Amino acid sequence: QPQGVSSREILAAPSVRKFARESGVFLGNVIPTGPNGKILREDVERFLAGADHAQS
Amino acid sequence: MAQMTMIQAITSALDNELARDPSVLLFGEDVGQSGGVFRATDGLQKKYGDQRVFDTPLAESGIAGLATGLALQGFRPIAEIQFFGFVFEAMDEIAGQAARMRFRSGGRYTSPIVYRAPFGGGVKTPEMHADSLEGLLLQTPGLKVVIPSNPYDAKGLLISAIRDNDPVFFLEHMKLYRSMRAEVPEEAYTLPLGKAAVVRPGKDLTVVAYGAMVHTALKAADQWSKQKGVEAEIIDLRTISPIDIETIIESVKKTNRAVVLQEAQRTAGAAAEIVAQINEHALYHLEGPVKRITAPDTVYPYAQIEEEWLPSTERVLTGFEAALAL
């Protein structure tokens, strides 16, 4: 898992955490756009789209 | 320092405070000449006289009412309810009177009372001796509730409880009375009420427990670590009212998962309140729901089957596994 972001600083609802977990995404790599720095489901989706794009 | 059992640590705390403060009184059923059914007050009447340490008639409501009255006259009563299962008889005096005295009188009167009562399963007591009724006290504004899990904490917390200017219910788990010895200072010291302790550090799961369940949690966590390399962080709540939510949240931020373990039935005890507070304060740190590991929602069982009924190390481990899988 990438370093830099401590798990203490990551804010995400359990549903978003589950989605990220099942998608194989480490939330520390995702840029949050929600209130107070919260990671939203869309942020994970955006990351996934970007990661897929980078791989192709 | 001396090696003490929890019961000796409790006696030592009572001894220290009776010596320090002449307004401290100790009374209950058979706490005087006999020294208490568990020897908690052994030798204290002889040392301090029957004006300070005395027996009462067999009436819990009378004992609790006596404490309220003496507190209004400037004493610091320590009242013993022989077994916590008998607290129903005294609930009005505790929850309806003493706990409300400061509020009711606008601060003119207070109730610097400590109620001591043994409780807890695993020692095959008769009916209404082992029941975990702490949940009843938890919902009483004006009352603090303390449940120590080891000799050192028991002494420091009891001295703090006696010095507290408001009523404190001090619950002593019978299985822990003599199940371990620990280094305990002979002289008085205090531990803050309302402060939990991290008794086992870990990074994978936060386990909140109190009373005898702290030891069950520790056993399960050590087994888990050896078998699976998974590390549970165990928090001994020590005071269940007020709940030290800061310590719990700090831990949940690190582990992102939590379970609450209690000996009381699922719908009783403190677990539901702790789960609610974690949800309120740390939802965005949780990977999944906070689960409870508890006894089933039945009357406390007959002595012959209590080992099946109380949360066992195996059942606790299964609970840990389930929480990690979420």
Side-chain angles (χ1 to χ4, degrees), chain A residues 8 11-12 14 17 21 38, chain B residues 250 283-287 326:
Chain A
R8 283 173 184 280
L11 296 174
R17 287 177 181 271
R21 205 161 63 229
K38 221 157 62 189
Chain B
E250 259 319 292
L283 182 71
Y284 297 116
H285 293 278
L286 289 173
E287 288 283 348
L326 293 166

Side-chain angles (χ1 to χ4, degrees), chain B residues 260-324:
Chain B
V260 184
L261 168 56
Q262 71 180 15
E263 178 174 324
Q265 294 89 334
R266 203 162 192 75
T267 312
E273 174 59 23
I274 297 163
V275 173
Q277 291 210 31
I278 296 173
N279 284 338
E280 281 169 356
H281 297 285
L283 182 71
Y284 297 116
H285 293 278
L286 289 173
E287 288 283 348
V290 184
K291 295 284 196 179
R292 290 173 289 175
I293 306 169
T294 70
D297 268 327
T298 69
V299 172
Y300 192 91
Y302 298 112
Q304 295 92 317
I305 55 164
E306 67 177 353
E307 293 304 332
E308 306 297 319
W309 188 87
L310 292 164
S312 62
T313 311
E314 292 68 34
R315 229 163 77 210
V316 169
L317 254 176
T318 310
F320 286 4
E321 285 289 339
L324 200 72

